Amino acid sequence: MLEIWLPLIGGLILLVAGGELLVRGAVQIATSLGVSPLVIGLTLVGFGTSTPELVTSVQAALADAPGIAYGNIVGSNIANILLIVGVAALISPMVINSVALTRDGAVMLAVAVAFSIVAFAMPLGRIVGLVFIATLIVYVYLAFRQEKASAPGGHGAVYDKSLALQSTDAALSPPATPQKPLLISTLIALVGLVLVVIGGRFLVDGAVSLARGFGISETVIGLTIVAVGTSMPEFVTSVVAGIRKQGDVAFGNIVGSNIYNILGIGGFTALIAPGAVPAEIVGFDNFVMIAVSLALVAFAWTGLRIARWEGAALLAGYVVYVYFIWP
């Protein structure tokens, strides 16, 4: 038991700690190079903390464990909506701004559908990976233009994701001037990268051992334990936003994370380690991901808020989902 759970838990700890160090160092480097705080927030902060999911999925795919690789992506999106939004809405009802809903909510739903269609039709090869990554770059560029213009409809999901992270950890906020020498910042980022890579390997090895030791499919482990574990940063930031009654920030954090999971993590995984999405995910979990994405948009559309009863319904849905797929 210790040989299974120690790498699993240790890997998660190293992933989270390494991911934060990596982002902190990268923010300091970007500040030293004169990159604007908005660009830093939308890229390094907004998406940098998803490094644990990225490294885990890529390493799992390279280790010939596609169930963990793609289960982590799809399972994270499902957990983000049902578990994290459910808990955050129970803490404080979410008031949704129109930009995060009309533009980013639609994008989240569209990429979930696109991923499901592509996964059904063909293996995720390098061309698909490049298309996903290119789409993500275009999306972030359009988000940058919208934020720079300060549209009256409110901030978008990518901005809200970075804001949620910066509000829970001030060290992720770009300082006005560099606070550390460039060499020190680079070393911090490199240490974080090493910890993330090591943590990802431990997590994948632990997950594979858990699946084999208990006769559970790697896909189920990827969809549940691995997905929830790598989504802990989103869970913490959304719960903190809920406690502070920043429902729009919590909503944007989840929507932005789901978009990045598909386009960024899915894209890089397909680019580095091409392969087919397991049939179990294609035939069931992808449809669940689409359904819960649609449910989230529908809940948010009614009165531009997610009430506590809707949060309770989402949370109950996650319990039912896990019960259904767990052997």
Side-chain angles (χ1 to χ4, degrees), residues 71-102:
N72 180 39
I73 296 170
V74 175
S76 290
N77 278 22
I78 294 171
N80 282 348
I81 293 173
L82 295 181
L83 176 62
I84 300 178
V85 173
V87 171
L90 278 175
I91 294 172
S92 177
M94 292 183 175
V95 179
I96 314 300
N97 77 62
S98 59
V99 173
L101 176 60
T102 56

Side-chain angles (χ1 to χ4, degrees), residues 99-131:
V99 173
L101 176 60
T102 56
R103 185 194 68 193
D104 301 310
V107 171
M108 176 188 68
L109 184 57
V111 298
V113 172
F115 175 84
S116 301
I117 293 174
V118 173
F120 175 79
M122 66 184 78
L124 297 190
R126 290 190 170 89
I127 294 178
V128 172
L130 286 173
V131 171

Side-chain angles (χ1 to χ4, degrees), residues 23-45:
V23 176
R24 287 188 182 196
V27 167
Q28 285 287 342
I29 293 171
T31 303
S32 300
L33 297 177
V35 180
S36 75
L38 179 57
V39 172
I40 292 174
L42 293 181
T43 56
L44 296 178
V45 177

Side-chain angles (χ1 to χ4, degrees), residues 1-217:
M1 291 292 290
L2 191 61
E3 294 177 354
I4 294 176
W5 288 104
L6 188 59
L8 199 64
I9 297 173
L12 282 173
I13 294 173
L14 289 176
L15 276 171
V16 174
E20 182 161 334
L21 285 176
L22 177 59
V23 176
R24 287 188 182 196
V27 167
Q28 285 287 342
I29 293 171
T31 303
S32 300
L33 297 177
V35 180
S36 75
L38 179 57
V39 172
I40 292 174
L42 293 181
T43 56
L44 296 178
V45 177
F47 292 145
T49 48
S50 291
T51 307
E53 288 101 322
L54 173 60
V55 172
T56 300
S57 286
V58 169
Q59 291 197 356
L62 289 172
D64 196 26
I68 294 175
Y70 290 106
N72 180 39
I73 296 170
V74 175
S76 290
N77 278 22
I78 294 171
N80 282 348
I81 293 173
L82 295 181
L83 176 62
I84 300 178
V85 173
V87 171
L90 278 175
I91 294 172
S92 177
M94 292 183 175
V95 179
I96 314 300
N97 77 62
S98 59
V99 173
L101 176 60
T102 56
R103 185 194 68 193
D104 301 310
V107 171
M108 176 188 68
L109 184 57
V111 298
V113 172
F115 175 84
S116 301
I117 293 174
V118 173
F120 175 79
M122 66 184 78
L124 297 190
R126 290 190 170 89
I127 294 178
V128 172
L130 286 173
V131 171
F132 278 9
I133 294 170
T135 303
L136 178 61
I137 293 172
V138 171
Y139 170 72
V140 173
Y141 172 72
L142 294 177
F144 169 76
R145 290 187 59 183
Q146 183 267 322
E147 296 299 338
K148 192 174 182 181
S150 299
H155 295 297
V158 181
Y159 182 90
D160 285 336
K161 178 172 172 58
S162 65
L163 182 62
L165 292 162
Q166 290 167 351
S167 65
T168 56
D169 187 352
L172 299 181
S173 299
T177 57
Q179 297 177 334
K180 293 182 177 65
L182 185 59
L183 178 60
I184 299 299
S185 301
T186 303
L187 288 175
I188 292 173
L190 289 175
V191 169
L193 179 60
V194 170
L195 290 179
V196 166
V197 172
I198 295 174
R201 171 53 57 191
F202 281 164
L203 178 62
V204 171
D205 289 345
V208 171
S209 298
L210 181 64
R212 292 173 179 171
F214 288 88
I216 304 170
S217 75

